[in-house]
C-alpha cells in the first residue's frame, strides 16, 4: 500500500499546486486592476501561472491513470490483467514489487517462479 499512499500524496500536492496557480492568477489580476503592477507584469505572471497549472494537470492525469491501473489489479485479483498496463512508464520499485508479487522462488539457480498477488 506504500505505492498507492505515495501516489495519493503526490496527487494531493499537485491538486494544491494547481489551486495555488489559480489563486495566484486571481491575485495578480486584482493587483493589476488596483494599480499595484503594470499590465505587462500581470500578463507575464498570468502566463507563467497558467503554464504551471497545465503542467500540474498533466502530471495529475498520469497519476490518476497509475492509481486506476493499480486499483483495477487490487479490486479484481481473479481476473487476468496486463502487467504492462500497471507499470507502464514507471520504474520497478521495491514498493511496487511488494504490491504485486506474493513471492519469488528460485530452483537450483536456473528456474524462477513468481507467485503474483493476482492472476495473470
Amino acid at each position: 500500500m506504500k505505492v498507492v499512499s505515495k501516489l495519493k500524496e503526490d496527487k494531493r500536492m499537485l491538486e494544491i499546486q494547481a489551486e495555488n496557480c489559480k489563486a495566484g492568477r486571481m491575485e495578480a489580476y486584482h493587483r493589476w486592476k488596483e494599480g499595484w503592477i503594470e499590465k505587462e507584469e500581470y500578463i507575464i505572471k498570468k502566463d507563467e501561472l497558467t503554464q504551471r497549472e497545465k503542467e500540474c494537470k498533466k502530471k495529475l492525469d498520469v497519476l490518476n491513470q497509475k492509481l486506476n491501473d493499480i486499483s483495477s489489479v487490487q479490486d479484481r485479483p481473479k481476473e487476468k490483467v496486463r502487467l504492462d498496463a500497471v507499470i507502464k512508464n514507471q520504474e520497478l520499485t521495491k514498493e511496487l514489487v511488494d504490491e504485486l508479487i506474493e513471492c519469488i522462488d528460485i530452483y537450483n539457480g536456473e528456474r524462477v517462479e513468481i507467485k503474483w498477488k493476482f492472476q495473470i
Side-chain angles (χ1 to χ4, degrees):
M1 288 315 219
K2 290 180 183 180
V3 173
V4 174
S5 296
K6 175 73 169 113
L7 290 174
K8 286 182 178 179
E9 181 182 320
D10 291 349
K11 178 183 174 182
R12 185 67 192 130
M13 292 304 294
L14 286 170
E15 289 171 341
I16 290 169
Q17 289 175 11
E19 286 299 316
N20 286 342
C21 289
K22 286 181 187 178
R25 278 197 317 266
M26 290 299 292
E27 180 183 340
Y29 175 78
H30 290 296
R31 292 184 64 178
W32 167 56
K33 282 300 190 181
E34 292 173 2
W36 292 96
I37 60 174
E38 297 294 322
K39 183 177 182 177
E40 293 79 22
E41 186 179 350
Y42 160 69
I43 291 171
I44 291 170
K45 188 72 169 172
K46 177 186 70 111
D47 292 343
E48 177 184 299
L49 291 168
T50 299
Q51 183 61 34
R52 261 195 245 158
E53 183 181 10
K54 285 180 183 178
E55 291 169 8
C56 286
K57 287 185 177 184
K58 283 181 186 177
K59 290 177 184 177
L60 273 169
D61 289 342
V62 171
L63 282 178
N64 283 327
Q65 185 60 49
K66 287 180 182 181
L67 284 167
N68 288 338
D69 291 344
I70 290 172
S71 176
S72 70
V73 169
Q74 292 174 340
D75 292 343
R76 299 177 279 131
K78 299 293 183 202
E79 294 181 25
K80 290 186 174 186
V81 294
R82 290 189 50 141
L83 184 59
D84 61 346
V86 175
I87 60 174
K88 184 172 90 177
N89 297 326
Q90 181 175 338
E91 68 181 48
L92 189 62
T93 63
K94 181 183 180 334
E95 291 82 11
L96 190 57
V97 168
D98 290 341
E99 288 288 324
L100 300 175
I101 297 176
E102 184 79 28
C103 69
I104 300 174
D105 294 322
I106 302 173
Y107 301 96
N108 297 333
E110 294 178 7
R111 194 175 112 223
V112 176
E113 238 177 63
I114 299 173
K115 184 176 180 185
W116 300 98
K117 290 185 178 179
F118 56 91
Q119 184 178 348
I120 58 171

